[in-house]
Amino acid sequence: MTAEQMNKFARSVLIAFFFISVYLISDTLISEHKMLRWIYLLFPIALIVCFFSANRKVRAYLSTLSLLILFIGGLFEPLNFDVIEESFILLPLCYVFLFPGALWPIAVAIGLVITYWVNLPAEKFGEFVEDAIELVFIASFATVMTYYYQKSQRQSLRYKKASLTDHLTNLPNRKSFFNTTADLLADEQNDHAVIQLGLDNLKAVNDNLGYGYGDELLKQFSTHVQSIVGEFGTVFRLGGDELVVLVSFATGDRQPLQQVIDRLVQHYDTVCQVFNTSHSLLFSGGVALLSDAHNNINVWGKNVDAAVARAKSSDNEIIRWYDEELMNDTIRDHQIEVELKGAIDKQQLKLVYQPKVDTRSNSIVGAEALLRWHHPDLGIVSPLDFISVAEKTAQIIPIGRWVLDQAIQQAKEWQEIGKPICVSVNVSSVQFTHDDIYPFIEGLLVKHELAPQQLQIEITETAMMDKHTRVAKTCDKLQRLGVSIAIDDFGVAYSSLNYLKRLPIDVIKIDKSFIDHCVTERTDHMIVRTIIQIGHNLNKGVIAEGVENTKQCELLKSEQCYLIQGYVYSRPVYCREFTHLLLSQS
């Protein structure tokens, strides 16, 4: 039996006790009195009406009336003391039930004692004192116990409310949200939607102005969303900058939901004042229906997360619906996540190599190892689709280790046929932070007997910025081992000259986005020229990736960038075809 069932059972017993007590006292009054006996019917009627009344004043008046009937009747026509002793001891307990924690029961007990003391026979005095003490003690004990029970119940309710309330915003919290949604069902009559909102600039405010400003901004954001949603839904704070709006509506009538969404979009760029600063309440949001998740709360949560992620990555969507397109993407991502675990063992992963060419001699001087996934059902899965999934699930660690092992082994094979070239491998920031990458690479070089100078590690600017301390230390150790370090996609992220100065970097790779229009756009041309000059001035190697035509080649040569990588020479090819390219050079 649950605590709630126990409470219901205990209350039912108390109610039964109350009505039985009222009946016994009323029966005694009517049967024992001779004068105006039927007037005593007012006693049970007053108590029963008092029991059902919610008005405190009415209850007080009716309780007083019932006592007056009892006490005044006892003065005019006293009952036998033994009769009083048998049934009237129940009277204070009735008032414990009607007014729990109040002094009514003690007052009633004392009133009874005084009323029947007036006409008490002398020979009953000793027994009367004993019974009076017993009556007052029982009434007092019951009153005190009820008072402390109620006090503990109120304290328990306060604790329960506190456990279900976010202390910063005073909104219902994550626990309250899951308690509320646990029993929700979407059916032919009703459906439910969640709108998840994430404040865009909270992290920047915390970093730049401090958490006091961030907390105040979040409080104003929650108040703002509550005022917009109004009576159409309930707002919860899940944590961080995430608010969730729960909206219930009749199936087939999404007007309440659409009205909330329209009002949110309408007030998207509201400005608020936080202390002495102004801030825009910009947010990204997602909407998901419980019916689309087939009443699965966990799937419902994943659906709205996917919608929010898509809204954040979009330039023109403020709130994104979880629709069929997103559902297909979610199913595909889930399948990728599941299938990726066995991709290595099933030999579905392959490496292709794209040549790096020196335009002065038109010869291959290096290769970049690129990962491809050949799935029997999904076909060739783009790295753009599965690398992010692998990083989120930490599967990138075993995959990254496999890539390094295969690439180093292949570099050794090319060395053995007299074509030693430097092979570069992209290494994820997850590998730098959650894997012992240095001893692993050192062990592979020893295992395959490859000179460290024939391996290059490529890392992105973002990886350096996010985890620069550990990345720098690892790259420095690899560099001292003889492995070269290249910074990939230079120019598209932070492009911090400070990092070029401090970090152990040997090669700068100019991103394809600048190469694409360097011939036709002067701005891109000047950016390319600047990156090349920076690289030369800092004594770094410079390579341009994504080169697709001879005009781009000529421009890069004129800017003294002689190393290129791109379709103008070759697309990424498998090792057998790449070996053929190496051998055909001679």
Side-chain angles (χ1 to χ4, degrees):
M1 186 178 290
T2 65
E4 185 177 354
Q5 290 173 328
M6 287 287 290
N7 288 335
K8 287 182 177 179
F9 176 75
R11 180 165 176 79
S12 300
V13 171
L14 289 173
I15 292 172
F17 174 79
F18 171 78
F19 281 103
I20 291 171
S21 299
V22 171
Y23 168 76
L24 291 174
I25 297 169
S26 303
D27 181 64
T28 299
L29 288 172
I30 294 171
S31 61
E32 296 295 331
H33 281 100
K34 308 301 180 186
M35 298 168 51
L36 302 174
R37 61 192 301 178
W38 298 112
I39 200 171
Y40 290 103
L41 282 173
L42 291 175
F43 173 82
I45 292 172
L47 285 185
I48 291 171
V49 173
C50 179
F51 172 81
F52 288 106
S53 175
N55 189 305
R56 193 168 184 82
K57 286 186 177 180
V58 171
R59 297 179 70 184
Y61 292 147
L62 291 173
S63 299
T64 304
L65 173 64
S66 64
L67 290 176
L68 288 174
I69 293 170
L70 183 68
F71 294 159
I72 294 173
L75 291 174
F76 284 97
E77 189 182 3
L79 295 177
N80 183 280
F81 184 75
D82 292 332
V83 174
I84 298 169
E85 183 183 11
E86 290 173 4
S87 60
F88 281 22
I89 196 170
L90 300 173
L91 186 62
L93 301 182
C94 291
Y95 282 85
V96 169
F97 186 82
L98 290 174
F99 300 98
L103 295 176
W104 274 89
I106 299 175
V108 169
I110 294 173
L112 272 175
V113 170
I114 294 172
T115 301
Y116 288 95
W117 183 30
V118 174
N119 298 307
L120 183 70
E123 66 274 10
K124 294 283 188 179
F125 183 77
E127 187 180 353
F128 171 78
V129 170
E130 183 182 335
D131 290 340
I133 292 172
E134 181 183 350
L135 179 64
V136 173
F137 175 78
I138 291 173
S140 301
F141 180 78
T143 300
V144 171
M145 292 301 294
T146 306
Y147 169 76
Y148 280 106
Y149 173 76
Q150 280 201 311
K151 187 176 180 180
S152 67
Q153 286 292 95
R154 287 194 295 268
Q155 188 68 29
S156 176
L157 287 174
R158 281 196 293 269
Y159 287 148
K160 183 177 180 180
K161 183 180 179 182
S163 73
L164 298 174
T165 304
D166 177 63
H167 72 280
L168 179 64
T169 62
N170 285 325
L171 293 175
N173 61 12
R174 175 185 288 270
K175 182 180 178 181
S176 177
F177 173 75
F178 285 111
N179 286 350
T180 303
T181 57
D183 299 322
L184 289 183
L185 289 175
D187 51 33
E188 294 180 358
Q189 284 75 40
N190 299 292
D191 202 351
H192 312 275
V194 283
I195 309 170
Q196 184 171 312
L197 307 172
L199 193 58
D200 290 344
N201 56 341
L202 182 62
K203 185 178 186 302
V205 171
N206 283 333
D207 292 344
N208 297 329
L209 299 175
Y211 285 95
Y213 280 82
D215 288 348
E216 184 62 29
L217 178 64
L218 189 56
K219 283 195 284 187
Q220 293 204 29
F221 179 55
S222 63
T223 303
H224 176 64
V225 172
Q226 272 187 304
S227 66
I228 291 172
V229 173
E231 73 279 2
F232 292 104
T234 306
V235 184
F236 301 81
R237 184 192 177 198
L238 296 190
D241 63 349
E242 289 184 352
L243 302 184
V244 163
V245 183
L246 177 64
V247 182
S248 300
F249 54 93
T251 302
D253 179 17
R254 296 186 183 178
Q255 185 177 356
L257 174 61
Q258 192 59 53
Q259 189 168 348
V260 173
I261 294 172
D262 291 343
R263 293 176 68 179
L264 286 168
V265 172
Q266 183 182 351
H267 295 85
Y268 167 68
D269 198 11
T270 301
V271 176
C272 73
Q273 291 294 126
V274 177
F275 304 129
N276 58 342
T277 58
S278 298
H279 300 272
S280 293
L281 296 178
L282 303 175
F283 59 85
S284 300
V287 186
L289 301 180
L290 183 57
S291 56
D292 289 341
H294 303 288
N295 287 319
N296 187 312
I297 301 298
N298 291 330
V299 173
W300 195 21
K302 289 182 178 181
N303 290 352
V304 76
D305 284 341
V308 172
R310 186 61 63 89
K312 287 183 176 179
S313 63
S314 173
D315 294 329
N316 54 8
E317 280 187 303
I318 299 171
I319 296 179
R320 172 64 190 260
W321 277 83
Y322 182 81
D323 52 17
E324 188 174 351
E325 178 190 349
L326 260 181
M327 180 173 65
N328 292 335
D329 289 347
T330 303
I331 293 172
R332 180 178 170 83
D333 286 347
H334 178 70
Q335 185 176 2
I336 286 173
E337 181 181 338
V338 172
E339 298 286 340
L340 194 56
K341 293 178 181 178
I344 296 176
D345 294 337
K346 295 176 181 177
Q347 298 182 343
Q348 295 172 355
L349 297 181
K350 308 289 182 184
L351 287 185
V352 293
Y353 300 87
Q354 187 168 37
K356 297 178 181 180
V357 178
D358 187 333
T359 55
R360 290 169 295 190
S361 61
N362 202 33
S363 60
I364 298 174
V365 294
E368 180 178 2
L370 300 167
L371 186 61
R372 297 291 184 267
W373 182 15
H374 293 256
H375 191 277
D377 300 323
L378 300 174
I380 298 178
V381 185
S382 168
L384 296 175
D385 291 335
F386 72 84
I387 292 297
S388 60
V389 175
E391 288 181 330
K392 289 177 185 176
T393 58
Q395 294 185 56
I396 193 66
I397 293 176
I399 291 173
R401 287 186 165 219
W402 180 86
V403 170
L404 282 165
D405 182 67
Q406 294 295 307
I408 291 173
Q409 184 176 343
Q410 185 58 57
K412 178 63 177 178
E413 290 179 10
W414 286 328
Q415 179 187 342
E416 289 176 345
I417 64 172
K419 296 294 180 180
I421 59 170
C422 180
V423 175
S424 64
V425 178
N426 290 281
V427 177
S428 165
S429 61
V430 177
Q431 292 172 265
F432 274 104
T433 53
H434 299 291
D435 191 16
D436 242 350
I437 194 81
Y438 173 78
F440 180 74
I441 292 176
E442 184 182 32
L444 286 178
L445 292 172
V446 173
K447 173 186 173 183
H448 295 294
E449 299 179 345
L450 183 71
Q453 290 74 19
Q454 289 179 241
L455 176 66
Q456 183 175 91
I457 298 298
E458 294 191 12
I459 53 177
T460 63
E461 288 181 80
T462 308
M464 289 185 177
M465 292 292 289
D466 287 346
K467 309 290 179 184
H468 57 272
T469 303
R470 184 156 184 177
V471 168
K473 288 180 180 178
T474 306
C475 288
D476 182 62
K477 290 170 69 177
L478 288 170
Q479 198 178 51
R480 282 190 274 113
L481 182 66
V483 177
S484 61
I485 308 297
I487 181 168
D488 197 13
D489 302 333
F490 187 80
V492 299
Y494 303 96
S495 305
S496 172
L497 298 182
N498 188 41
Y499 281 86
L500 288 180
K501 178 186 75 173
R502 290 196 298 112
L503 289 176
I505 295 169
D506 301 293
V507 177
I508 298 173
K509 296 189 74 174
I510 307 174
D511 187 67
K512 181 181 184 300
S513 61
F514 299 117
I515 303 299
D516 285 343
H517 305 290
C518 67
V519 176
T520 56
E521 297 289 340
R522 175 173 172 78
T523 301
D524 285 11
H525 182 181
M526 291 301 103
I527 291 174
V528 170
R529 173 183 290 180
T530 302
I531 295 173
I532 294 170
Q533 290 176 350
I534 289 172
H536 289 166
N537 292 336
L538 294 177
N539 199 28
K540 312 290 185 187
V542 180
I543 181 169
E545 58 181 345
V547 182
E548 296 185 348
N549 57 64
T550 54
K551 289 183 178 180
Q552 293 171 348
C553 282
E554 293 303 319
L555 183 143
L556 290 166
K557 288 173 70 174
S558 69
E559 297 294 347
Q560 298 183 337
C561 176
Y562 302 111
L563 297 179
I564 67 164
Q565 176 183 343
Y567 280 23
V568 68
Y569 190 89
S570 173
R571 66 173 57 86
V573 295
Y574 292 101
C575 58
R576 181 178 296 179
E577 192 174 347
F578 193 95
T579 303
H580 177 72
L581 288 174
L582 282 175
L583 294 173
S584 66
Q585 287 187 132
S586 58

